Every structure is written in structure tokens, then in C-alpha cells.
């Protein structure tokens, strides 16, 4: 069931702000206030019929008007025409609110405003959920892509290590064969050199005898 809305008013910077909300907390959140303006005496619930009527037409929407003015609240407002001493004094000390004769808003209008506010709240909530779902889907897609790239990298590295290991094993075999060949050749060379020396000596001695 939609909660009954109330109209809250405050003054921030160069503007007076008003909103039809379900609670003071909701009003503070809509205003983007970083502290409790109600406890500080900067914000209050208002029964000004003109302000109430304007906010009830756009529940949940922050309306504003130039600070210190008595103009109509609207979703968009120009800056105050006089930003001098009067505005500075007003920011330091809020003037007393003028009480007008209360014009009772019909229960039908109040109920419609509350229903519209609840619809807007649900719409924003649904939109936020859609955005969160889209972000989660995109995050999952990126994580999947990262996992796929990581798997390809790991596979390629494993293949490289396997190939490198095989090459090193082949090198070890070739090195052993080279060492064995060097030993074989040294042994055979020594024998052949000895035989060659003996043959040369025999030829030398035979020639000398002649």
C-alpha cells in the first residue's frame, strides 16, 4: 500500500527546494543532503497550500525556486536575480515562513500523488535492477574472455616447455655422442699416427742401407 506523502521544504545554495515524499529520510536522499537538515533547522514539513499543490503534482521530484523568493516551485528554475547581501543573509538565517490560509487538498489528489510516487519508486528500482543485471552480464562475459585467454596462454606455455624439454634432451644426446666420437677418434688417431711413424722409420732405414 502506498504511503501517504508529505511536503518538505529546505534551502540549499541559491535555491529553495521542495518535494512530496513519504518521509524526511526520503526527502533528504532526494535532495542529496549529506547531513540531517531537519535536525539543523534548515528543513521542515510545510503545509503551504501552493507548495503542497505543486509538489503533489510531481511526487518524488525535487522542485525549486530562487532562494528567498516567493515564486512558484518548478522542476527547473533560474538563479536568483540578486545574489548579493540579501541572499547571503538569508543563507545564514532563514526567514520565517509565511503562513497562508490552508486550502485542504482532496483525499483523491493526495492518494493519486502517493500512487504516482510509488510507481516512480518502483520504476527506478526496476531500472536499477536492469542496470545491475546488465553490468553482471558484462562482467561475466569479460571474465569468460579472460579465462579463455588465460587457458590459451597456459596451453601455449605448456607446449613450449614440452618442446624445449625435448630439444634439450636431444642436445644432451648429441653432446654425449660428440664426446664419444672425440674419444674414439683420439684413440684411433693415436694408433694410426704410431703406425705411420713406424712405416716412415722403415722406409728411412731401408733407404739408408742403400
Amino acid at each position: 500500500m502506498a504511503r501517504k506523502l508529505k511536503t518538505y521544504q529546505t534551502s540549499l545554495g541559491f535555491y529553495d527546494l521542495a518535494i512530496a515524499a513519504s518521509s524526511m529520510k526520503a526527502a533528504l536522499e532526494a535532495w542529496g543532503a549529506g547531513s540531517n537538515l531537519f535536525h539543523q533547522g534548515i528543513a521542515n514539513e510545510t503545509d503551504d497550500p501552493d507548495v503542497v499543490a505543486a509538489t503533489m503534482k510531481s511526487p518524488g521530484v525535487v522542485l525549486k525556486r530562487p532562494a528567498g523568493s516567493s515564486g512558484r516551485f518548478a522542476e527547473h528554475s533560474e538563479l536568483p536575480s540578486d545574489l548579493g547581501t540579501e541572499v547571503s543573509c538569508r543563507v545564514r538565517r532563514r526567514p520565517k515562513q509565511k503562513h497562508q490560509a490552508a486550502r485542504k487538498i482532496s483525499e483523491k489528489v493526495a492518494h493519486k500523488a502517493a500512487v504516482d510516487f510509488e510507481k516512480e519508486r518502483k520504476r527506478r528500482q526496476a531500472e536499477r535492477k536492469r542496470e545491475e543485471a546488465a553490468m553482471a552480464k558484462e562482467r561475466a562475459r569479460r571474465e569468460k574472455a579472460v579465462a579463455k585467454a588465460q587457458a590459451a596462454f597456459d596451453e601455449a606455455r605448456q607446449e613450449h616447455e614440452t618442446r624445449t624439454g625435448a630439444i634439450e634432451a636431444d642436445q644432451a644426446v648429441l653432446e654425449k655422442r660428440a664426446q664419444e666420437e672425440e674419444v674414439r677418434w683420439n684413440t684411433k688417431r693415436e694408433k694410426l699416427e704410431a703406425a705411420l711413424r713406424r712405416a716412415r722409420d722403415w722406409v728411412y732405414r731401408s733407404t739408408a742401407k742403400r
Side-chain angles (χ1 to χ4, degrees):
M1 180 179 178
R3 297 178 61 181
K4 183 178 179 181
L5 301 183
K6 297 179 180 180
T7 296
Y8 301 100
Q9 187 174 342
T10 189
S11 180
L12 292 176
F14 297 124
Y15 297 104
D16 290 337
L17 305 179
I19 187 173
S22 57
S23 65
M24 292 181 180
K25 180 180 179 182
L28 291 172
E29 291 178 353
W31 290 332
S35 59
N36 194 325
L37 304 180
F38 293 97
H39 287 177
Q40 298 172 11
I42 304 175
N44 63 281
E45 180 183 350
T46 181
D47 58 358
D48 185 313
D50 292 333
V51 179
V52 173
T55 58
M56 288 300 177
K57 289 180 180 179
S58 302
V61 177
V62 177
L63 304 182
K64 56 187 177 181
R65 69 184 180 190
S69 70
S70 59
R72 183 176 61 86
F73 277 96
E75 188 171 353
H76 302 286
S77 175
E78 297 181 354
L79 285 170
S81 58
D82 181 6
L83 298 179
T85 307
E86 292 184 4
V87 173
S88 299
C89 292
R90 185 190 174 284
V91 171
R92 288 195 296 269
R93 188 178 67 179
R94 181 183 180 125
K96 295 182 180 179
Q97 182 180 355
K98 295 181 180 179
H99 294 281
Q100 301 179 8
R103 294 180 296 179
K104 186 177 180 181
I105 298 177
S106 68
E107 289 293 329
K108 183 177 180 181
V109 174
H111 176 70
K112 182 178 182 302
V115 171
D116 292 342
F117 178 85
E118 184 65 16
K119 286 182 179 179
E120 177 65 14
R121 186 188 68 79
K122 289 182 178 180
R123 185 192 69 79
R124 292 182 181 179
Q125 186 179 41
E127 183 178 357
R128 184 171 62 253
K129 287 183 178 180
R130 287 194 298 271
E131 291 176 352
E132 291 175 351
M135 290 176 62
K137 184 177 180 180
E138 177 64 15
R139 183 167 57 252
R141 186 188 69 78
R142 292 184 180 182
E143 290 177 352
K144 184 178 180 180
V146 170
K148 183 178 180 180
Q150 183 65 50
F153 175 81
D154 292 342
E155 182 179 357
R157 182 175 60 183
Q158 181 63 38
E159 181 182 5
H160 167 70
E161 292 176 353
T162 300
R163 287 174 177 268
T164 301
I167 292 172
E168 291 175 351
D170 292 341
Q171 288 177 337
V173 171
L174 290 174
E175 185 175 351
K176 182 179 180 181
R177 288 178 59 187
Q179 291 175 352
E180 292 174 349
E181 175 60 23
E182 188 67 19
V183 171
R184 184 195 68 80
W185 163 244
N186 288 336
T187 301
K188 188 172 183 179
R189 179 174 56 79
E190 291 174 357
K191 291 180 179 180
L192 291 173
E193 286 177 345
L196 180 60
R197 284 194 300 272
R198 287 195 300 272
R200 285 175 177 173
D201 289 343
W202 181 80
V203 171
Y204 177 78
R205 287 194 298 270
S206 297
T207 304
K209 288 180 181 181
R210 295 179 184 178

